[in-house]
Amino acid sequence: MSDYLIMTAGPTLVADNVMAARSAQAKNPRFDSSFNDDYKRICNKISSYLNTDKNTYIMCGEGILGLEAACASLTEHGDKVLVITNGIFGDGFADFVNIYGGVPTIYEDDRHNSIDLNKLSDYLAKNHDFKYATMVHCDTPSGVLNNVSEICKLLKSYGILTVVDSVAAFPAEPIDMTHVDILLGGSQKAYSAQVGLTIATVSNQAFFAMESRKTPIASFYANLLLFKDYYFPYSMPSNDISSFGVAIDNIGDLTDFQNRHFEIAKLCREKVLDLGLELYLDGGHSNTVTVINIPSGKDENYFIDRLLNEHNIMISGCFGYLKDKVIRIGHMGESAREEYINRTTQALKAVL
Ligand SMILES: *Cc1c(COP(=O)(O)O)cnc(C)c1O
């Protein structure tokens, strides 16, 4: 049987040089200054990929840590937060706001398409008394891509701070950081490193809001302010970070990388439609994940098990209200290659 192929919506395939770097001897993050240099080099490289002078930090913990850290660091008791959502990760932000004593207001839009900017603009004209707003760039369970650059611009025109979950989007999807206060990423998605790191790019305005709190941040592990001056509140996972650095270097030219994702996503949708399958979304397709309706009478395991056992390909099912409704092919980073899309869709054909 051919090689094991990971085509899930994250974790994604990890390149050999990234795996090798992760197996090296650990550096002592407290006493070895070369760890510090490496950490800053990687953080700066991400900020330069983002074309921003906002600083980037890497935290030890899978991407969810970033979502919690943004809410933990910004939310004080009674703070009003706008939770903009058209998907499962979008909804989830309300939980973090509640945990830290904030008051979420849910703004919900069509789950089969990108958030409508005109509708949001009309809503904000009447409702804009919020400390910050949360949103998701690519909401992975449905694969919907939101125009977060423009959404943040609207929000900032009312002085609302902006938090963006781009775990399943950047660096595969472009983003304009001008109006983004906190951008969150995860090592295991389009970066194609192993699971375990949160990447947070934070504006001075967001740090100022944290420093201006009346009450202390109610967390240690999820406190972004501790990272501000590149202080490490615990022993950093040096191997995770140096191998992540190799994955960042593997990206190469960002425009080429993003164009490749655009082409691969288009190819994947075409091949899926050629098989007579339906896409979940009406529009707003991301370049990182293709979400396919499960034909009636079947469940997700019918596809997942056969693809794995008969073709050695791992794809994703879903969760929440999309469980057994859709299957998902991830094509991020190392998984975004034409030969892998061909192999996956041919296997899907055989299963059908
Ligand atoms: C993957 C992902 C996360 C991180 O959560 P997981 O536990 O890895 O699923 C957060 N947000 C989005 C949009 C994601 O796709």
Side-chain angles (χ1 to χ4, degrees):
M1 198 155 41
S2 44
D3 288 345
Y4 179 52
L5 185 57
I6 302 176
M7 297 299 282
T8 65
T12 51
L13 281 172
V14 176
D16 290 344
N17 61 349
V18 176
M19 290 198 272
R22 197 156 179 263
S23 304
Q25 290 289 352
K27 282 184 177 174
N28 189 308
R30 279 185 208 284
F31 304 113
D32 183 347
S33 64
S34 71
F35 170 78
N36 241 300
D37 298 342
D38 204 29
Y39 181 91
K40 281 196 189 163
R41 180 191 76 83
I42 298 164
C43 291
N44 290 340
K45 187 147 187 188
I46 294 169
S47 289
S48 77
Y49 269 145
L50 284 165
N51 196 22
T52 182
D53 55 9
K54 293 164 190 171
N55 282 344
T56 296
Y57 306 88
I58 303 169
M59 302 169 85
C60 163
E62 186 276 337
I64 291 290
L65 172 63
L67 316 194
E68 176 159 7
C71 296
S73 303
L74 288 176
T75 316
E76 286 193 84
H77 189 79
D79 278 346
K80 291 177 186 160
V81 181
L82 184 63
V83 174
I84 300 172
T85 178
N86 56 344
I88 291 176
F89 281 99
D91 298 342
F93 266 113
D95 296 337
F96 292 121
V97 172
N98 276 318
I99 289 171
Y100 292 95
V103 182
T105 296
I106 315 278
Y107 175 89
E108 194 178 339
D109 204 348
D110 184 0
R111 287 175 183 249
H112 293 264
N113 219 323
S114 306
I115 286 162
D116 184 321
L117 288 170
N118 291 325
K119 262 201 282 180
L120 179 64
S121 173
D122 290 346
Y123 174 84
L124 287 171
K126 296 187 202 95
N127 312 272
H128 46 253
D129 178 21
F130 302 105
K131 179 175 184 178
Y132 70 95
T134 64
M135 74 212 76
V136 180
H137 197 176
C138 166
D139 210 311
T140 336
S142 68
V144 70
L145 185 74
N146 290 313
N147 188 345
V148 291
S149 307
E150 289 300 320
I151 294 173
C152 289
K153 188 174 176 190
L154 274 175
L155 290 160
K156 293 294 281 197
S157 72
Y158 293 100
I160 303 167
L161 292 168
T162 56
V163 173
V164 177
D165 169 356
S166 188
V167 174
F170 190 78
E173 303 277 3
I175 184 166
D176 175 356
M177 282 295 290
T178 312
H179 303 286
V180 179
D181 288 299
I182 302 182
L183 185 81
L184 303 161
S187 52
Q188 84 275 27
K189 301 286 172 82
Y191 286 111
S192 272
Q194 312 271 10
V195 187
L197 300 176
T198 274
I199 300 100
T201 305
V202 185
S203 73
N204 287 335
Q205 227 185 331
F207 277 133
F208 183 74
M210 294 173 211
E211 285 162 341
S212 310
R213 292 170 58 114
K214 294 184 210 75
T215 53
I217 293 170
S219 175
F220 183 78
Y221 224 71
N223 183 341
L224 279 171
L225 202 48
L226 286 181
F227 285 79
K228 186 183 169 208
D229 298 316
Y230 296 105
Y231 167 74
F232 305 129
Y234 42 72
S235 282
M236 298 298 281
S238 63
N239 298 59
D240 290 358
I241 290 170
S242 52
S243 61
F244 178 58
V246 176
I248 301 279
D249 294 340
N250 283 347
I251 291 171
D253 182 81
L254 188 63
T255 307
D256 290 347
F257 183 81
Q258 291 174 346
N259 287 343
R260 191 179 97 221
H261 282 81
F262 176 84
E263 295 298 337
I264 290 293
K266 193 158 140 271
L267 177 75
C268 188
R269 289 195 298 274
E270 281 165 9
K271 297 231 164 203
V272 163
L273 291 172
D274 283 349
L275 296 177
L277 290 165
E278 273 172 17
L279 301 174
Y280 173 77
L281 293 173
D282 299 330
H285 303 279
S286 73
N287 293 326
T288 50
V289 55
T290 297
V291 181
I292 305 161
N293 286 334
I294 294 178
S296 64
K298 305 253 188 317
D299 62 10
E300 64 181 33
N301 284 335
Y302 178 87
F303 291 94
I304 294 171
D305 294 349
R306 274 175 184 70
L307 280 167
L308 185 60
N309 299 334
E310 294 162 20
H311 302 274
N312 219 11
I313 301 171
M314 186 81 229
I315 62 161
S316 296
C318 212
F319 42 85
Y321 64 85
L322 288 175
K323 177 150 177 67
D324 288 320
K325 299 275 191 291
V326 297
I327 49 172
R328 300 178 294 157
I329 300 173
H331 28 78
M332 307 180 205
E334 293 299 324
S335 300
R337 309 268 177 207
E338 186 174 337
E339 59 172 301
Y340 299 156
I341 297 297
N342 289 338
R343 213 180 117 191
T344 306
T345 49
Q346 271 156 21
L348 208 47
K349 185 175 181 181
V351 169
L352 285 165

